Amino acid sequence: MDGVIYDSMPNHSLSWHEAMADFGLEMPLSGAYEYEGMRGVETIKKLARQQWKREISEKEAQKMYAHKSEVFSACKPAELMPGIKELMEQIKTWGLKICVVTGSAQHVLLDKLESDLKGLVTKDLMVTAFDVKHGKPAPEPYLKGMEKCGINPWEAIVVENAPLGVRAAVAAHCFTIAVNTGPLPDEMLADEGANLIFPRMTALSEEWQNIMKGFKGEE
């Protein structure tokens, strides 16, 4: 969702940086992109482990994540990523299902999906941080998504923008397309095993017909 469907990562980057500073944890602006896809509480536990040299409880991590969510909610609402709606319409035209698989627990964004993408996204085909025990980079979120769609890994195409998300998709044995909508180098996505890499969502949308023809063996 973040960085693929919505241009929301700048907001996440700023809110992570500011909210963690309030608790005495350092989260650089680039950190949100590096940890993107991981469940928020898992990100906070990892930061605490690295910087405080101790484990924190689920309750403490949830409290800190709730503060991060409050800071995020005060940001200007994120717009749809340019090209995503056109891409989804093409996906539907090819007879494929669309399942949103996100590590987000941000209700302000999750609640917008159906209204912003009416007829393209439905809650029954959505996997969020509330649905899994082990978020990305574990494969569980994508395995859960395939289960909801009633498909096998060789029938799935994952569109990701984050290194940890790509790692999760590859671990789930899915064909993985990375779209680098953030500041990280392409090499970070390639090193995680992305099959294809595009510089922006509009570029993927423009190439989608050719990608699908390639899968079907058409010229």
Side-chain angles (χ1 to χ4, degrees), residues 16-177:
W16 269 114
H17 176 71
E18 293 183 355
M20 292 304 98
D22 290 339
F23 292 99
L25 283 174
E26 182 181 349
M27 176 64 125
L29 293 174
S30 62
Y33 296 89
E34 294 178 31
Y35 292 116
E36 185 189 353
M38 187 181 292
R39 291 172 63 239
V41 290
E42 292 176 356
T43 298
I44 292 170
K45 287 181 178 181
K46 186 169 184 175
L47 289 175
R49 197 177 301 122
Q50 291 173 340
Q51 297 178 35
W52 292 344
K53 308 301 180 184
R54 68 177 177 86
E55 297 291 332
I56 63 173
S57 67
E58 183 79 10
K59 183 178 181 180
E60 187 176 359
Q62 287 285 3
K63 177 182 177 181
M64 295 167 71
Y65 185 70
H67 178 55
K68 183 267 175 183
S69 298
E70 290 174 357
V71 177
F72 177 83
S73 297
C75 295
K76 181 181 178 181
E79 300 292 332
L80 285 169
M81 189 68 72
I84 188 60
K85 194 168 186 179
E86 293 79 3
L87 174 61
M88 286 186 169
E89 288 169 348
Q90 291 186 77
I91 291 172
K92 286 287 190 178
T93 298
W94 279 89
L96 303 179
K97 297 176 182 178
I98 295 174
C99 181
V100 177
V101 179
T102 175
S104 178
Q106 302 281 170
H107 291 286
V108 67
L109 281 180
L110 295 173
D111 292 343
K112 287 184 63 179
L113 278 168
E114 278 193 305
S115 59
D116 286 352
L117 295 163
K118 190 173 182 180
L120 297 171
V121 172
T122 56
K123 285 187 178 178
D124 61 313
L125 291 182
M126 200 180 295
V127 178
T128 73
F130 303 109
D131 300 310
V132 298
K133 292 182 179 179
H134 305 287
K136 304 170 188 176
E140 183 183 348
Y142 283 115
L143 295 175
K144 180 79 70 173
M146 288 186 282
E147 181 183 327
K148 287 193 173 189
C149 289
I151 60 172
N152 297 298
W154 58 87
E155 298 172 297
I157 301 171
V158 170
V159 178
E160 261 288 353
N161 71 305
L164 296 185
V166 172
R167 189 188 305 176
V170 171
H173 303 292
C174 300
F175 187 90
T176 306
I177 299 174

Side-chain angles (χ1 to χ4, degrees), residues 82-83 87 179 197-208 211:
L87 174 61
V179 184
I197 300 177
F198 289 87
R200 55 192 172 277
M201 201 59 62
T202 51
L204 173 57
S205 180
E206 290 166 2
E207 190 63 23
W208 185 258
I211 292 172

